[in-house]
Amino acid sequence: MVRPESLAPLPVAPGLLDPELDGLGVVLLPDGARLRVWSGAADAVDLVVFDDSDLDWITATEPLAPVGGGVWELTTPLLRPGTRYAIRVDGPQGPGNTFNHGTLLLEPYSRGLDRTGYDGWRSVVVDGSFDWAGVSKPAVPLDQTVIYEGHLKGMSKRHPDVPGALRGTYAGLAHPAMVQHFLDLGITSIELLPVHAFTTEPRLLQHGLANYWGYNTVNFFTPHAAYATEDARRQGPEAVLREFKGMVKLLHEAGLEVILDVVYNHTSEEGIGGPRSSLRGIDNRAYYRQQEDGAYIDVTGCGNSVNTSTDAAARLVLDSLRYWANDLQIDGFRFDLAATLGRDAAHHFTPEHPLLQAILDDPQLAGVKKIAEPWDVGMGGWQTGNFGHGWSEWNDRYRDRVRNFWLSDVDYARRASTSPVGIGGFATRLAGSANTFADERGPLAGINFVTAHDGFTLRDLVSYDVKHNLGNGEQNRDGADTNRSFNHGAEGPTADEAILATRRKAMRNLIGTLLLSAGVPMITAGDEFARTQRGNNNAYCHDSVLTWLSWEHAPWQRDLHAHVRHLLRMRRENPALRPGRFARLGKRTPSASVMEWYDEHGETMSGERWADPAHRTLQYVAASTPEFESSNRVLLMIHGTERATEVTLPDIEGATRYESLWCSADERPDDTRGSFAPGDVVSVPGTSMRLFRVE
């Protein structure tokens, strides 16, 4: 059929979707398996098979044949479930190439791994069968999503109600005691720090430390074996994989989503001279960004950057996502240093990058949450707001503004007797960061957070002015120097009850702002009961009680936990607090919240007051535009100076009373504080918030 010239040309599929790249890795067949490996520059690729119990005893070697497009293929009866294997790759020498036919390499699509020594790895064939018993993904709508970011081991390692053999494991995270905590708190989605197989860098081992967080990936397809129970590890990779799937199944049965923090931007092979365990030995020039002379272009700060401008590297990432989303039923991904994935062949970021578009368009990833950490450390690496429709992004601008308002500005005001800025920038963040995310993306494009794994905990944020990272072995040089924190009068632990009370209120203001803002909130595990890392804002290398959650809490910590539970209930019950779209002036926008702003006198905010440092009191009215839920209207009162004040409730159309729902000045949440009429005057303590339902 001839297409008329007037018709636009058919879109050309990006090279990463070329069928020649289908079926890479091991595919089990009735009489063995087929192995496909990509290396565009190789001269030879061999399969190496090992004894089942002696991982250094080579029992067979077979060559793969080139079949086009840089793919090498072999069908053999030697590969069966449980087989330990590696590949050897030979090729030309020269700048950018690091081929060595004597090096045993991990096959990149390995579903299972075994370790031999510190830097020795073997791929393992797994069957992967699992009975999901009809359990499906919870599919929590984005506007109802509350993310709980935590470390898989650290969350359950010290929990007294989790059996000892399960603590710190996949099975431990899904234990009823942990599930009950998640459900009781009110979160919907657990975001796990990296669980792809990873290893510890040699320099950390020299200091007697470990890579605890896991941002040092060995393989993109295999669950980290050390997080499995001892029994599963003893049985081997098949049992480890089964335990991981069992965890996902149990969490899904409870209605909880599982989101993975995935590290595709770099690998554990580090810089040139580092380990040659997989991609470097298969096709270094194609898999890693580098100059013409072979010097690495490191935009991650980790020694190497995966070159997603090449089809094979981009396809490796896409296929890994498909595997975790479908075979392992993962609900979403948070992409570490996602700007690196969107860099083109000239190493510039573009939101139209073929990989980023493929992730959005792939039917196998439909419905999967896609969250970008929208920066890396290279030129042009800060890209918050630029990832386009379909992506959510960590909103660092939100984090910084909220910390400034409740901490840095208060510290400044104590020293200078005046605040440095007004309330306008804070209000913009509270209302969904419309100055960062385009109208068509809406407030749900922003993942709001005040703390994350990287940085101070909530408690440390209000207890320390500076980082205390000497235990990391880098003379306190590592970790962020600008934290926008405030110790409120004493550095670290103190017995001064006035300081402690002020810190507690500051934590309630921070967490209250987070959970009452438009956008998707993310809580850091342990912040709900004020976990501390003793001022360490970069505890990536501590696998110890410093980073494991403690489940023994003082009464004031239980009070904070009660506040978080209460706030999450308020968020669920009041759709005006979680709009899915930005409202547009003069138009009815379904699932948006129409926002009105009043000053402490109950009058509409004037333009001058938004920027006036002397006026840091605001009343924010949000009215939902029903689409899927009943109509709802709330008023949030914010007072951002340490002097107490009085606020007159606004007389707004249709409002007959304001029902008090929450106050950050309360040590323990109390939603029985009564009702008020429009025009009533409410006493507001210094630096505090109040929430009302408008009726």
Side-chain angles (χ1 to χ4, degrees), residues 82 200 227 234 237 358 371 387 410 450 456 515 567 616 662:
T200 293
Y227 291 158
R234 188 167 51 247
I371 302 168
F387 269 72
V410 175
V450 175
F456 281 143
L515 298 181
L567 285 161
R616 285 168 57 93
W662 177 74

Side-chain angles (χ1 to χ4, degrees), residues 591-603:
S591 291
S593 287
V594 178
M595 299 167 185
E596 299 172 344
W597 309 89
Y598 302 91
D599 62 18
E600 64 268 36
H601 306 298
E603 303 294 332

Side-chain angles (χ1 to χ4, degrees), residues 137 325-326 331 359-370:
K137 297 182 180 182
N326 296 292
D331 303 277
I359 291 170
L360 290 178
D361 298 339
D362 196 319
Q364 295 188 53
L365 300 178
V368 171
K369 292 179 168 67
K370 304 164 183 77

Side-chain angles (χ1 to χ4, degrees), residues 24 65 111 120 128 143-144 162 259 281 323 334 357 378 393 413 421 425 477 506 539 581 635 669:
L24 292 172
R111 266 55 166 180
D143 69 299
Q144 297 176 28
V162 174
I259 298 172
Y323 174 67
R334 178 267 189 189
Q357 285 301 125
E393 302 175 37
V421 297
R477 292 191 300 264
R581 300 184 179 94
L635 181 146

Side-chain angles (χ1 to χ4, degrees), residues 464-523:
Y464 294 90
D465 279 352
V466 297
K467 65 187 181 183
H468 295 264
N469 295 358
L470 284 173
N472 295 0
E474 298 184 46
Q475 291 75 52
N476 212 41
R477 292 191 300 264
D478 65 305
D481 293 315
T482 303
N483 296 285
R484 296 174 169 83
S485 60
F486 180 31
N487 68 18
H488 293 87
E491 186 71 359
T494 181
D496 188 316
E497 181 50 42
I499 291 176
L500 292 173
T502 307
R503 288 176 177 177
R504 293 194 295 270
K505 185 172 61 171
M507 284 189 280
R508 295 192 293 269
N509 285 329
L510 291 164
I511 201 76
T513 301
L514 174 65
L515 298 181
L516 300 178
S517 292
V520 180
M522 184 185 80
I523 302 169

Side-chain angles (χ1 to χ4, degrees), residues 118-253:
Y118 163 68
D119 59 356
W121 298 90
R122 303 291 182 259
S123 298
V124 182
V125 180
V126 296
D127 175 78
S129 58
F130 183 80
D131 183 8
W132 291 96
V135 176
S136 58
K137 297 182 180 182
V140 179
L142 201 54
D143 69 299
Q144 297 176 28
T145 298
V146 179
I147 297 172
Y148 186 84
E149 188 214 31
H151 190 282
L152 186 132
K153 179 177 182 178
M155 282 189 280
S156 69
K157 181 63 176 176
R158 301 174 68 190
H159 200 300
D161 296 331
V162 174
L166 304 185
R167 292 178 189 167
T169 69
Y170 299 123
L173 187 71
H175 185 272
M178 295 299 302
V179 170
Q180 184 57 43
H181 174 72
F182 300 141
L183 296 178
D184 181 65
L185 187 62
I187 59 100
T188 67
S189 310
I190 302 166
E191 182 178 307
L192 298 175
L193 268 63
V195 297
H196 288 176
F198 65 88
T199 190
T200 293
E201 299 89 329
R203 64 176 181 81
L204 289 178
L205 293 174
Q206 291 170 3
H207 290 289
L209 300 170
N211 188 319
Y212 175 63
W213 286 351
Y215 294 87
N216 198 42
T217 309
V218 170
N219 171 269
F220 295 146
F221 287 82
T222 307
H224 190 58
Y227 291 158
T229 57
E230 182 179 351
D231 183 55
R233 295 198 306 271
R234 188 167 51 247
Q235 293 179 53
E238 193 81 62
V240 170
L241 181 59
R242 190 163 52 246
E243 183 177 320
F244 183 94
K245 291 181 178 180
M247 172 195 73
V248 175
K249 177 182 176 182
L250 288 171
L251 292 172
H252 281 177
E253 282 183 333

Side-chain angles (χ1 to χ4, degrees), residues 549-617:
L549 303 195
S550 170
W551 295 90
E552 296 180 359
H553 305 136
W556 70 267
Q557 291 176 290
R558 293 193 288 272
D559 289 342
L560 178 62
H561 178 266
H563 273 281
V564 177
R565 289 180 64 241
H566 183 84
L567 285 161
L568 285 171
R569 180 166 66 86
M570 293 300 98
R571 187 176 182 87
R572 286 195 302 275
E573 293 177 356
N574 294 279
L577 291 168
R578 40 185 174 79
R581 300 184 179 94
F582 290 126
R584 298 185 179 184
L585 188 63
K587 293 185 178 180
R588 186 186 186 280
T589 305
S591 291
S593 287
V594 178
M595 299 167 185
E596 299 172 344
W597 309 89
Y598 302 91
D599 62 18
E600 64 268 36
H601 306 298
E603 303 294 332
T604 299
M605 281 285 287
S606 64
E608 297 78 13
R609 290 207 164 202
W610 284 115
D612 187 349
H615 294 282
R616 285 168 57 93
T617 306

